[in-house]
Amino acid sequence: MDLKEIREKLQEDWGDLPSFDITEVINKPYDPNLAEQLYDPKKPMANRVTDIGPPYFEQFFPEVIKKNYGKWKSHEIVEPGVIKYTSETGDVVYAVRCGSPRLITTDTIREICDIADKYCDGYVRWTTRNNIEFHVETEDQLRALMDDLKGRKFPGGSYKFPIGGTGACVTNIVHTQGWVHCHTPATDASGVVKAVMDDLFEYFGSHKLPAQVRIALACCLNMCGAVHCSDIAILGVHRKPPFVEDDRITGVCEIPLAVAACPLGAIKPATVELDGKKIKTVRVNEKRCMFCGNCYTMCPAMPLADMEGDGIAILVGGKISNRVSAPKFSKLVIPYIPNEPPRWPSTVKVIRKILETYASDARKYERVGEWAERIGWERFFEKCDIPFTDKSIDDYRLAYDTYHTTTQFKWSVHTDNL
Amino acid sequence: MADVKKHDTPQCDELKNGPWPSFVDDIEQKGLSGQQACLDLLGQLELSYTHKETHWKHGGIVGVFGYGGGVIGRYSDAPEKFPAVAHFHTIRVNQPASKFYSSAFLRKLCDMWDHRGSGMTNFHGSTGDMVLLGTTTDQLEPVFYDLTHQMEVDLGGSGSNLRTPSCCVGKARCEWSCLDTQAICYDLTQTYQDELHRPAFPYKFKFKVSGCPNDCVAAIARSCCSIIGTWKDDIRIDQAAVKAYIGGELKPNAGAHSDRDWGAFDIQKEVIDLCPTQCMWMEGDELKIDNRECTRCMHCINVMPEALRPGTDTGATILVGAKAPILEGAQMSTLAIPFIRMEPPFDEFKEFVDKIWDWWMEEGKNRERFGELIQRQSLQEFIRRAELKPIPQMVKEPRSNPYVFWSEDEVEGGWKRDIKEFRARHAA
C-alpha cells in the first residue's frame, strides 16, 4: 500500500477525528487565554475534547519521505552520523543524526526548530534512543547543515548537537529520570549519562568498534528504560531494607497492598503500640529483602533511599536485535559501585575498561554478549579485570538455568591457584 | 537579566564541562532567561548530589477530569528552598507515530509549555511520549484544553492503562520494513483510546511495532505485545551487488565499520559462516540461500544491504509478555503467532488482542504484567485462551521433565475407575 491508500483506509475508521490534518489549528498563534475561557471547573464536561489520540503521522513527513514511502531501496552510512538512503525512484535523502541529553528545555527545542526551518523545510525527527535526525536532499545542504550543527555549543563549551550514533559506535544512552524528577531512584540518570558520554565521546562519532554498543541506564530496578537487554546496563540499586514509618503508614498505605507487594513474602502485617495506642503496621524480614523497592512503590511509608546504601550495578551482554544470535538479557557483573556525583569516576572507569577490552578482543560484527559467550564468562571477568563475587550467581526465579552443568570450562585467574 | 534567583550549584556546574551536550547548561540558560523553576530544579539536583538521595516525594494522585492516566503527580520534599518546583507534575503527550514533527507543531507546544509549565521536557519518555516535566495542579486542566483545542493532540498512558504505543521509522525511511509501522501504531492507538485513558487492566500493557527483526524499538524486550515485521518468501538477491561487495566496490554493513581496518571483505567469513542456520553458500560467484532453512535474523541483509533485501510476502510475527525484572524477573516476549497479515483495519490481530485481554482481565492479579500471567498459568493456558495452535516454533526445545497436566477428557476411559476391578487384577 502507498501512503494515500493507507490514509484512505484509516480515514474510513477515524475520519471524524481531527488528527488527519491539524495544520489550520497549529498555524494559529498560541492563545494563552483560551483554556481559561473554555474550561469551567463547575461544569467540567463543558468544551471538553477527549479521546482524539495523536496527530496523524503523515502530515509531519518531509516531502521526500512522503514521496518515497515504501520505495526505499538501500542505505549507506557515508560518515559517522550521516546515513544516505536511496529510493527506487532515484531520490536520495541524507539523515543527519545528533546526540541529545533527552532532558531538554523548550529553548533547545526551538533551536532545533530553527535548524529544521533553515535546512529541512521545517521537519525533524527523534529516534527511539533520543537522537535527533535532520533530513536534507543534497550534498550542499548536507555540508551546510553539518557545519552549522558543529558550530553550536552551550556556554560551558559542550556541543549542542554532536553528530554520530550510527554504525559500530556507542550511540546515545537511553536513560530514566534519576534525581532530576523521580521519587524512587537509587542513582541519578542525567548526571551519570553525561559523565559516561563525555568519556566515551570519541566512540559516539566514529565507527571503531566491532559492532554497535548499546548502553542504557535505569535509576532503579523498576527499569523505566529497557536496560535489561543492553550491551552495557547501568542500574541504580538499593542495598538497605525499607524503613517502616509506624506513625504514618495507616494514613498513607493500604497495609494488604504493602504486604502483597513483596515478591519474597518478607513483609508481614503487625500491630504495634505507639503513644499508648495500638496501630496496624508491617514488619520486614530484613534477611529476605532483595531491595527491589516494590514495597515503596506501593507504600510511601516504606522508603529505602540511602546515601550509603544506594549505588550502581553494571550488567553486560544483552541485546535486542535478532541478528545472528537471539535477543539476550544483560548479566550482572558488578553488583555495586557507590554513587559518586557529579562525575561518577568509578562507574565511568569500569565502563571504559569493559568497552575497550571488548573493542580489542571481539570479532567484527560480534556484540558484547556474543563475545563474552564465545570467550566464556570466566575469561570475560579475567580480561576485564572484574572481581567475580557470589553476587553474580543467580538465586532468584529460574536461577538453575544459569548454573554450569558441564566439565567444559576454561582455566582462568579464578582457577590458577588450584 | 530577568528577576530570578540562581542557587549555588558547584557540583551540577561541573557537568557543564566535556563535549556531550550539557543538560545543566541548557537548564541554567533557560532559568536565567526568566524561568525560576529551572533554577530551582538545578538547586534541588545539587542537594541530591550532596545527599546522594532523591528529593522528590512519593506520588500524589493528580489528573484531568475523566482520565485515569497521562499525568503523574510530583512534589518536592524541600519546597521552602525550591518553591518553584514545589509542585512539579509530569504530563505525557501522545507522540505522532515514529516521532516526525513539523517545527510549527513543536513551536506551539513550546509556547504553551513556557506559559503553563517549567519549560522542561523529556524528548522523549522511554515509552515514546513527549514528556512535559513540571507544572502545578491548577494548570493541568488548562494544559489539557490547550493540547486538545489548540494542538489537537491527546495525552499518553500511565498507570494500569494501555501505554502509548510506539513504532520504528518503518517504510517511511527504511528499506527493510515489512510493515506499515506508523499505520499500525496509529490505528491501535485510536482503537484503544478508552483503554489508554481509563485504567481497567491489572497493570500496564504495551504494544510496540518494529518493521523487521532488527527491532529498533526493542519491542521484544519491553512490550506485552510485540509486533515485528517478517516475510514468508525468499530474500531478494542482486547478484551483481554481491559481486561488488566481494570485489570491494561496496562497503560491508553500509559503512558501519569505516574507522578501523578489518581487512578485505570476506563473504565466507563475514556472512556465510555467521549465518545461524548455515543456509547460505557460494556457487561459483553466485550467492545461494536455502530460504526454507532461513530464520530471518537479518545478518546477511545488514552486511550487504545493496545486494540483499527481505522478501515481498510480508506480515508480522506476534510475540507476547516482555517486561523488565519487577517483579518476577525480566522476560523477553514469547512467540505466539508466527505470521499474520497486518493491513487496516487489522481485524484478525484485534480479535487476538480481545482474547488475551479477556483472559488477563479475568485472571490477572493486581499489578501482574501479562507476561507474568503466562508464567503463572502456563504458556499452554495462554495458547488455549488465545485459541492458537501449539507449534514447535513457540519453544526453544521441548520440556525435559515428564510432568504433563493431562486433562481427563484427553485420557481414554476418563479418570473414574473402580478400585474393586483394579484389585480383582492385583492383590493388595
Side-chain angles (χ1 to χ4, degrees):
Chain A
M1 282 194 293
D2 62 23
L3 269 184
K4 185 165 167 280
E5 282 175 89
I6 291 171
R7 187 176 58 246
E8 284 169 1
K9 280 238 179 188
L10 290 174
Q11 274 179 322
E12 283 174 23
D13 280 331
W14 310 114
D16 293 342
L17 291 170
S19 49
F20 285 92
D21 187 3
I22 64 168
T23 320
E24 201 188 316
V25 166
I26 289 299
N27 285 343
K28 285 186 200 155
Y30 174 65
D31 178 350
N33 302 312
L34 186 66
E36 277 78 4
Q37 292 160 26
L38 294 172
Y39 172 62
D40 178 356
K42 285 179 203 134
K43 289 187 222 153
M45 285 311 288
N47 301 313
R48 182 170 296 270
V49 173
T50 68
D51 300 84
I52 58 171
Y56 192 65
F57 48 89
E58 186 190 343
Q59 59 201 312
F60 297 134
F61 287 175
E63 275 310 311
V64 63
I65 296 288
K66 263 189 217 170
K67 191 178 150 204
N68 294 286
Y69 181 92
K71 294 180 187 150
W72 298 106
K73 193 164 145 276
S74 67
H75 72 278
E76 184 194 348
I77 313 173
V78 291
E79 61 183 278
V82 183
I83 315 176
K84 177 186 182 184
Y85 295 86
T86 306
S87 165
E88 284 163 358
T89 65
D91 287 352
V92 299
V93 67
Y94 296 90
V96 179
R97 187 174 291 171
C98 304
S100 143
R102 182 180 90 122
L103 174 67
I104 58 177
T105 67
T106 46
D107 287 356
T108 292
I109 296 175
R110 285 198 187 89
E111 191 166 341
I112 293 164
C113 291
D114 292 342
I115 298 165
D117 287 346
K118 191 164 174 193
Y119 301 98
C120 316
D121 296 324
Y123 297 102
V124 62
R125 171 178 189 256
W126 269 264
T127 72
T128 301
R129 300 193 74 88
N130 309 312
N131 291 312
I132 304 158
E133 289 183 336
F134 297 102
H135 297 89
V136 290
E137 290 173 62
T138 67
E139 288 215 26
D140 289 346
Q141 288 170 311
L142 174 67
R143 290 301 143 205
L145 168 65
M146 290 179 70
D147 288 345
D148 187 334
L149 291 169
K150 285 174 189 167
R152 291 177 189 257
K153 291 185 174 180
F154 284 109
S158 66
Y159 290 98
K160 285 183 171 173
F161 305 106
I163 298 168
T166 54
C169 75
V170 172
T171 188
N172 207 343
I173 300 182
V174 169
H175 61 277
T176 55
Q177 303 272 29
W179 293 334
V180 168
H181 203 233
C182 182
H183 64 296
T184 67
T187 188
D188 188 31
S190 298
V192 186
V193 167
K194 165 74 173 147
V196 173
M197 284 310 286
D198 276 344
D199 187 63
L200 300 181
F201 192 69
E202 62 186 296
Y203 293 102
F204 177 76
S206 68
H207 292 157
K208 294 193 277 195
L209 297 169
Q212 66 269 45
V213 173
R214 301 285 183 251
I215 307 181
L217 180 147
C219 54
C220 82
L221 272 62
N222 278 328
M223 290 198 192
C224 300
V227 311
H228 57 299
C229 295
S230 302
D231 292 281
I232 301 176
I234 307 166
L235 177 64
V237 291
H238 303 289
R239 295 184 309 157
K240 293 192 184 182
F243 291 98
V244 179
E245 294 178 275
D246 289 336
D247 57 344
R248 256 186 103 222
I249 191 162
T250 41
V252 296
C253 304
E254 303 258 4
I255 303 260
L257 287 182
V259 170
C262 183
L264 294 178
I267 303 174
K268 298 280 181 232
T271 307
V272 298
E273 213 172 275
L274 199 74
D275 302 329
K277 271 191 249 168
K278 284 202 166 165
I279 54 154
K280 291 206 163 83
T281 180
V282 298
R283 284 294 172 263
V284 178
N285 180 346
E286 295 187 339
K287 281 188 183 156
R288 291 178 77 173
C289 180
M290 62 176 186
F291 319 101
C292 71
N294 200 49
C295 51
Y296 183 55
T297 296
M298 298 308 288
C299 175
M302 300 182 73
L304 29 52
D306 188 277
M307 62 170 71
E308 293 170 331
D310 296 350
I312 282 172
I314 302 290
L315 297 87
V316 306
K319 69 194 268 281
I320 300 293
S321 156
N322 286 270
R323 182 176 184 172
V324 185
S325 63
K328 300 178 200 296
F329 291 125
S330 312
K331 282 89 180 165
L332 188 137
V333 295
I334 301 176
Y336 179 74
I337 303 169
N339 277 321
E340 300 168 320
R343 281 280 165 190
W344 276 268
S346 305
T347 298
V348 167
K349 193 175 157 202
V350 75
I351 290 172
R352 174 167 278 267
K353 175 73 180 171
I354 293 168
L355 186 79
E356 293 192 329
T357 309
Y358 157 77
S360 66
D361 201 56
R363 294 173 182 167
K364 191 178 178 187
Y365 306 116
E366 212 168 39
R367 295 285 292 265
V368 171
E370 293 167 330
W371 163 67
E373 284 175 13
R374 177 173 59 80
I375 64 172
W377 284 99
E378 59 269 61
R379 191 72 75 231
F380 169 88
F381 281 93
E382 182 179 81
K383 280 182 187 271
C384 293
D385 211 8
I386 296 172
F388 184 83
T389 73
D390 64 351
K391 308 292 186 291
S392 283
I393 300 174
D394 198 351
D395 50 8
Y396 195 53
R397 316 269 197 257
L398 310 173
Y400 183 82
D401 289 356
T402 63
Y403 301 166
H404 219 162
T405 53
T406 165
T407 56
Q408 297 185 23
F409 60 86
K410 288 185 179 176
W411 304 113
S412 68
V413 289
H414 310 92
T415 53
D416 286 346
N417 293 333
L418 299 180
Chain B
M1 205 212 289
D3 184 22
V4 287
K5 182 191 162 205
K6 186 185 168 328
H7 303 273
D8 190 26
T9 56
Q11 295 177 91
C12 289
D13 292 349
E14 218 298 308
L15 293 173
K16 293 178 188 170
N17 301 320
W20 188 250
S22 171
F23 68 99
V24 173
D25 235 338
D26 186 16
I27 298 172
E28 184 175 295
Q29 292 303 308
K30 179 79 185 164
L32 294 176
S33 74
Q35 188 55 272
Q36 183 61 43
C38 290
L39 297 175
D40 280 6
L41 184 65
L42 284 180
Q44 180 166 315
L45 184 63
E46 182 74 16
L47 194 62
S48 279
Y49 281 9
T50 302
H51 290 159
K52 301 182 192 177
E53 288 166 0
T54 190
H55 281 284
W56 297 104
K57 281 190 194 180
H58 192 294
I61 294 171
V62 290
V64 299
F65 188 80
Y67 279 12
V71 184
I72 298 105
R74 187 68 72 231
Y75 300 90
S76 169
D77 72 9
E80 64 296 337
K81 286 197 191 81
F82 311 110
V85 298
H87 297 210
F88 210 64
H89 308 322
T90 299
I91 297 169
R92 292 184 183 162
V93 183
N94 197 147
Q95 84 288 359
S98 72
K99 306 188 185 93
F100 281 93
Y101 294 96
S102 70
S103 58
F105 179 89
L106 291 173
R107 285 181 196 282
K108 197 159 179 186
L109 185 74
C110 291
D111 291 346
M112 186 283 288
W113 192 234
D114 280 346
H115 177 60
R116 302 213 177 269
S118 71
M120 291 306 312
T121 76
N122 280 151
F123 257 72
H124 293 76
S126 294
T127 295
D129 297 286
M130 296 171 262
V131 174
L132 306 178
L133 290 177
T135 193
T136 51
T137 307
D138 60 312
Q139 287 296 325
L140 295 174
E141 289 290 358
V143 167
F144 182 63
Y145 273 69
D146 280 349
L147 290 172
T148 50
H149 287 267
Q150 299 202 57
M151 312 258 337
E152 298 195 320
V153 62
D154 209 329
L155 299 186
S158 68
S160 292
N161 291 15
L162 176 67
R163 299 302 181 85
T164 312
S166 72
C167 67
C168 72
V169 76
K171 292 183 186 173
R173 208 199 56 204
C174 183
E175 70 268 29
W176 294 330
S177 187
C178 299
L179 298 173
D180 295 299
T181 56
Q182 290 96 357
I184 296 167
C185 189
Y186 176 83
D187 187 85
L188 294 180
T189 309
Q190 297 295 13
T191 302
Y192 301 120
Q193 279 291 296
D194 194 30
E195 288 80 358
L196 200 151
H197 297 303
R198 296 167 193 91
F201 292 145
Y203 201 11
K204 62 181 100 166
F205 193 96
K206 300 183 179 183
F207 287 114
K208 293 195 187 292
V209 192
S210 278
C212 84
N214 280 335
D215 194 3
C216 288
V217 289
I220 206 165
R222 54 191 193 132
S223 56
C224 307
C225 184
S226 321
I227 302 160
I228 300 178
T230 195
W231 66 94
K232 285 178 88 172
D233 53 342
D234 293 352
I235 292 174
R236 287 174 281 170
I237 308 183
D238 176 347
Q239 295 290 357
V242 173
K243 287 190 193 80
Y245 280 106
I246 295 170
E249 295 104 74
L250 289 171
K251 290 181 272 180
N253 218 103
H257 298 82
S258 60
D259 289 323
R260 185 151 148 193
D261 182 9
W262 291 93
F265 177 67
D266 180 343
I267 193 169
Q268 185 68 38
K269 198 172 124 202
E270 297 187 33
V271 179
I272 295 172
D273 290 350
L274 289 178
C275 170
T277 63
Q278 302 286 293
C279 69
M280 315 179 83
W281 68 96
M282 295 300 292
E283 249 175 57
D285 54 5
E286 292 221 325
L287 179 69
K288 299 286 180 187
I289 302 175
D290 181 354
N291 281 279
R292 182 80 177 159
E293 296 305 308
C294 171
T295 50
R296 301 165 311 286
C297 87
M298 298 288 297
H299 176 67
C300 58
I301 296 172
N302 286 326
V303 176
M304 304 195 293
E306 304 277 349
L308 303 176
R309 297 168 76 186
T312 54
D313 186 10
T314 54
T317 298
I318 309 297
L319 305 95
V320 292
K323 56 180 283 292
I326 295 282
L327 266 176
E328 295 294 317
Q331 289 178 215
M332 219 83 81
S333 275
T334 300
L335 191 128
I337 304 175
F339 189 82
I340 185 171
R341 304 272 172 207
M342 291 297 276
E343 285 181 11
F346 313 106
D347 286 338
E348 193 188 345
F349 174 73
K350 288 175 193 168
E351 281 167 27
F352 167 75
V353 172
D354 287 346
K355 286 177 209 162
I356 66 172
W357 279 358
D358 280 350
W359 177 42
W360 186 43
M361 287 165 77
E362 243 171 64
E363 301 279 343
K365 296 182 188 169
N366 183 38
R367 276 169 59 81
E368 183 174 54
R369 291 287 294 272
F370 186 69
E372 290 169 335
L373 174 63
I374 298 174
Q375 276 280 9
R376 183 165 61 83
Q377 292 207 346
S378 80
L379 188 61
Q380 284 93 327
E381 186 60 15
F382 162 76
I383 291 166
R384 281 190 284 273
R385 297 298 295 252
E387 297 176 51
L388 299 173
K389 202 176 131 207
I391 52 171
Q393 281 85 346
M394 291 170 170
V395 291
K396 280 186 202 138
E397 57 186 26
R399 71 194 304 157
S400 49
N401 66 65
Y403 304 132
V404 175
F405 290 99
W406 294 102
S407 67
E408 186 171 8
D409 60 2
E410 288 175 308
V411 183
E412 294 76 6
W415 290 348
K416 301 276 181 295
R417 289 175 293 163
D418 186 343
I419 185 65
K420 283 182 186 154
E421 278 177 29
F422 181 82
R423 285 294 165 219
R425 298 194 298 276
H426 308 279

